[in-house]
Every structure is written in C-alpha cells, then in structure tokens.
C-alpha cells in the first residue's frame, strides 16, 4: 500500500515564547496543526488565548517563530487574519447594532464590499441559527445568541481556518450542543479547519479529531485522539451484585490490579484471559458479575496519564479543568 501523504501543516510554530513583563505565558511552544478539527485543551491561565493571539498576529511572540498558511506570524498578521476566522473569548459585539449590521460590518472591516458583505451576512446568520433574529438588536440576545453572532462574524469571509476561543463558555446545554454541531459541520460538510480551545474535555471530544494539550504555557501532548487513547492501558470494567470489597481482594490476591470507581471496578487487561480470570475470582468469592466490558478510555484518561507522567498531583480533571480551580501547583 502506498504510504499516506502528509499534507503541509496549516499552522506551524517553533520555540514560540511569550512573556507578559516577567510572566512567562508560553514556553517554547512547538506546534504543527494539520487540516481538520483540533482542540486546544488546557486549564484557565494555561496560555490558550495567548497562543491564538500569536497565531493570528494580534500579539508578537517574544521569541521563536511560526507560519500560518505560509505567512509569518510576526510580520503578516493582516494576511493571516484575512484567511482565518477568529471568534474571540471576550464579548466583541456592539450591543446597539442589530445582528445583520454587526456581521456585515465585520465583513467590511475585512475588506469586503458592502453588497457582498450584506449578502454573506444573511447566509452566515442562517448557518448559525439566527435567521429569524437577524434584525434584532444584540442587546436583546441571550449568551447563546451572542456566541452564535460572534461565530457568524468569524465566518463572514468564508475563511479556510476558523479559530474559536472557548466557544461554549456560558452556554446552556441546548446552545452548547448547537454550537458544537455547527463547528463540527464546518469541518465535515464545509471542508474547513476548526481550532477550538476549551477547558472542557467533552466539548473538544465532540468536535475534534486531534488535540493539543497545554499546561502552564507548555504543550504537554499533541496528536490524534484515537491514537492517544490507544496509549492508555487497556482495562475491563465490571460491576458486581454485592460483595464488591470481597471481589476486589480476590482479584488483587490473584494478581489482577483493580481500581474501584463507585459501583464499578476496572481491572487491568493483560490478555484476553483476564475475562475468564475475573469470572473465576467472582465464583471463588460468590459474587455475581452484572456487567463486564472493555473500558473505552476518553480524553480525561489521556489527561490523567499525561499529568501522572509529568508528576502532577491531579486526581481528576475537575481538579484542573474547571473555572473554579485557580490554585494550580507552581
Ligand atoms: N495582557 C496580559 N498581561 C499580562 N498577563 C497576561 C495577559 N494576558 C494573559 N496573561 C497571563 O498569561 C497567562 C496565560 O493567559 P491566557 O493565554 O489568557 O490563558 P488561557 O486562555 O488558557 O486561560 C495567564 O497567567 C494570564 O494571567
Ligand atoms: Mg483564554
């Protein structure tokens, strides 16, 4: 079989470093982001927004360099921004404008003529689900509608790459689902590339095929989600009727490492034989196995594995990935 060709990355960075005064926000970031959907994952303060602003040429890196679609991040920001749609984290909308004027205006700022921008504004507002609200003032909008308007502004010039900084922030479940589906659709149906940041694992998992994990300004892992998941040790998840503690001791005494997770247990899967050994353990201690299946690891498992490798004391992503968590170990 012919080897798969590797297309050039859309975004490349080498030894990118950003200092805000004495504060090191990005530390020698090396990156290669290909076409597709990529999630930039990291806790608050990790450097996600800073990295996006460097990529867009909105701020200059202190040292290092990078290219986006062949353009230099440090000197060709205007060209980069003409090809990338950017949905910023902050509220970038004018509350006094109606949605159609706001979106048209973003097109004009990017150099589109008024009639092209107007026509396109109608299309993108429909795409983000705001067809019926397009003549309403933004000040009357919910957070979900404002985020959708920001997305429409980012899409106005039909960019090749869409960068969304925390697109689901502040959204309720319905608006969140719609946002994530729209981003996914932009990749699968539109053929565009999407790079979205989030501190929520699930959001990224719904949209992206690849992740870049950033922690304290450093990239800690980068790659395809399914390939990363395959690095996580295989486990079999079981649940038993009564006697969970007996079952646990029995498994351990038979040399099978086990983790208790509430009502379920996960047993390291050393081979296919592990299944029959689990059944043997159950019959030896007289408990009934209710459920037994291969455990499917997710992004959270990858994250915990990486943090463990880095020697960070993190028990779960709740420790690190949520808004509430501020006290990161230094
Ligand atoms: N304009 C700025 N001036 C000084 N420090 C900043 C500035 N912007 C961000 N930082 C700091 O840089 C670090 C990374 O911030 P940021 O890129 O916003 O992280 P994230 O988007 O992952 O939450 C944080 O410690 C933050 O406080
Ligand atoms: Mg941010």
């Amino acid at each position: 079989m012919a080897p798969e060709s590797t297309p050039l990355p859309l975004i490349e960075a080498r030894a990118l470093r950003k200092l805000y005064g004495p504060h090191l926000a990005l530390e020698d970031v090396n990156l290669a982001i290909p076409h597709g959907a990529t999630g930039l994952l990291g806790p608050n303060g990790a450097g996600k927004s800073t990295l996006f602003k460097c990529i867009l040429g909105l701020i200059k890196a202190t040292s290092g360099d990078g290219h986006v679609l062949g353009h230099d991040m440090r000197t060709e920001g205007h060209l980069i921004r003409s090809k990338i749609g950017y949905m910023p984290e902050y509220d970038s909308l004018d509350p006094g404008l109606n949605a159609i004027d706001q979106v048209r205006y973003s097109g004009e700022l990017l150099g589109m003529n008024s009639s092209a921008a107007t026509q396109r504004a109608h299309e993108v507002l429909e795409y983000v689900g705001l067809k019926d609200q397009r003549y309403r003032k933004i000040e009357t909008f919910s957070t979900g509608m404002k985020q959708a308007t920001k997305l429409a502004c980012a899409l106005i010039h039909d960019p090749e790459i869409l960068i969304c900084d925390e697109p689901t922030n502040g959204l309720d479940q319905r608006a969140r689902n719609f946002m994530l589906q729209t981003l996914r659709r932009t990749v699968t149906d539109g053929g565009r590339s999407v790079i979205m940041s989030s501190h929520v694992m699930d959001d990224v998992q719904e949209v992206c095929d690849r992740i870049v994990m950033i922690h304290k300004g450093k990239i800690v892992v980068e790659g395809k989600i399914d390939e990363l998941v395959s690095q996580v040790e295989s486990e079999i998840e079981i649940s038993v009727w009564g006697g969970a503690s007996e079952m646990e001791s029995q498994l351990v005494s038979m040399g099978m490492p086990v983790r208790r997770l509430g009502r379920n247990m996960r047993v390291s899967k050393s081979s296919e034989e592990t299944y029959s050994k689990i059944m043997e353990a159950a019959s030896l201690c007289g408990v009934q196995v209710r459920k037994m299946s291969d455990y499917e690891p997710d992004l959270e498992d990858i994250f915990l594995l990486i943090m463990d490798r880095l020697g960070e004391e993190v028990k779960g992503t709740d420790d690190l990935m949520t808004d509430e968590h501020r006290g990161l170990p230094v």
Side-chain angles (χ1 to χ4, degrees):
M1 218 165 69
E4 212 177 301
S5 69
T6 356
L8 282 178
L10 301 177
I11 299 174
E12 259 183 311
R14 270 186 310 265
L16 212 58
R17 174 178 279 255
K18 176 66 190 177
L19 284 153
Y20 291 112
H23 180 75
L24 186 57
L26 291 179
E27 188 176 344
D28 300 333
V29 165
N30 294 300
L31 261 187
I33 300 182
H35 175 80
T38 303
L40 179 62
L41 258 172
N44 283 305
K48 302 181 294 298
S49 299
T50 301
L51 179 57
F52 281 165
K53 288 178 202 161
C54 288
I55 288 173
L56 286 149
L58 289 168
I59 58 173
K60 280 206 168 57
T62 310
S63 59
D65 59 26
H67 288 86
V68 181
L69 300 168
H71 302 297
D72 190 323
M73 279 176 201
R74 287 177 308 179
T75 54
E76 297 181 301
H78 60 291
L79 273 170
I80 292 173
R81 290 190 296 279
S82 73
K83 295 182 181 174
I84 295 194
Y86 173 45
M87 181 179 165
E89 189 177 23
Y90 53 86
D91 186 356
S92 50
L93 306 172
D94 181 340
L97 290 180
N98 62 33
I100 196 87
D101 288 337
Q102 174 76 77
V103 177
R104 178 178 53 79
Y105 181 56
S106 355
E108 287 173 3
L109 283 180
L110 285 160
M112 294 172 79
N113 72 45
S114 187
S115 73
T118 305
Q119 190 196 334
R120 181 76 190 148
H122 286 282
E123 287 166 20
V124 286
L125 280 166
E126 181 169 357
Y127 184 73
V128 303
L130 290 176
K131 185 169 185 260
D132 298 337
Q133 292 86 11
R134 66 201 143 144
Y135 296 110
R136 262 174 60 183
K137 278 198 175 169
I138 288 164
E139 64 197 4
T140 69
F141 278 9
S142 67
T143 310
M145 289 156 73
K146 284 185 187 158
Q147 286 296 83
T149 309
K150 277 162 60 178
L151 177 60
C153 292
L155 289 169
I156 183 79
H157 55 315
D158 195 14
E160 220 167 301
I161 307 175
L162 176 65
I163 288 187
C164 302
D165 199 354
E166 308 257 2
T168 56
N169 249 6
L171 302 191
D172 62 27
Q173 199 56 33
R174 203 190 58 82
R176 169 187 173 271
N177 290 343
F178 185 78
M179 173 62 71
L180 295 176
Q181 277 162 20
T182 308
L183 295 178
R184 183 72 208 156
R185 196 151 53 97
T186 305
V187 180
T188 54
D189 302 353
R192 306 295 186 271
S193 290
V194 167
I195 304 159
M196 65 175 276
S197 72
S198 183
H199 57 271
V200 184
M201 300 270 173
D202 288 350
D203 287 3
V204 164
Q205 197 142 16
E206 275 184 45
V207 178
C208 304
D209 314 303
R210 301 179 65 90
I211 52 160
V212 173
M213 257 185 209
I214 184 167
H215 184 51
K216 296 182 197 164
K218 284 193 216 163
I219 306 293
V220 292
V221 70
E222 188 187 356
K224 281 193 179 160
I225 295 177
D226 48 7
E227 285 172 11
L228 291 167
V229 160
S230 69
Q231 292 179 15
V232 178
E233 186 198 23
S234 301
E235 289 177 312
I236 296 173
E237 189 160 79
I238 58 170
S239 70
V240 295
W241 283 116
S245 303
E246 289 83 349
M247 180 67 175
E248 188 178 355
S249 332
Q250 184 65 43
L251 287 165
V252 172
S253 74
M254 289 169 69
M256 285 182 278
V258 57
R259 289 198 288 152
R260 277 281 284 277
L261 296 125
R263 300 168 56 117
N264 294 334
M265 276 180 245
R266 286 196 211 136
V267 183
S268 295
K269 183 180 172 185
S270 45
S271 72
E272 290 303 317
E273 245 176 66
T274 308
Y275 283 106
S276 49
K277 284 176 78 182
I278 290 171
M279 293 314 288
E280 190 188 329
S283 88
L284 282 171
C285 61
V287 306
Q288 198 187 336
V289 177
R290 274 179 69 199
K291 208 177 66 188
M292 177 158 72
S293 57
D294 282 343
Y295 172 70
E296 299 282 342
D298 60 13
L299 273 184
E300 175 149 350
D301 297 295
I302 299 173
F303 182 77
L304 294 177
L305 180 79
I306 301 299
M307 287 298 132
D308 191 47
R309 281 187 194 157
L310 292 174
E312 296 279 357
E313 289 256 334
V314 184
K315 289 188 191 65
T317 47
D318 289 353
D319 269 10
L320 207 50
M321 304 301 279
T322 59
D323 275 334
E324 294 74 41
H325 187 86
R326 299 273 171 200
L328 285 172
V330 183

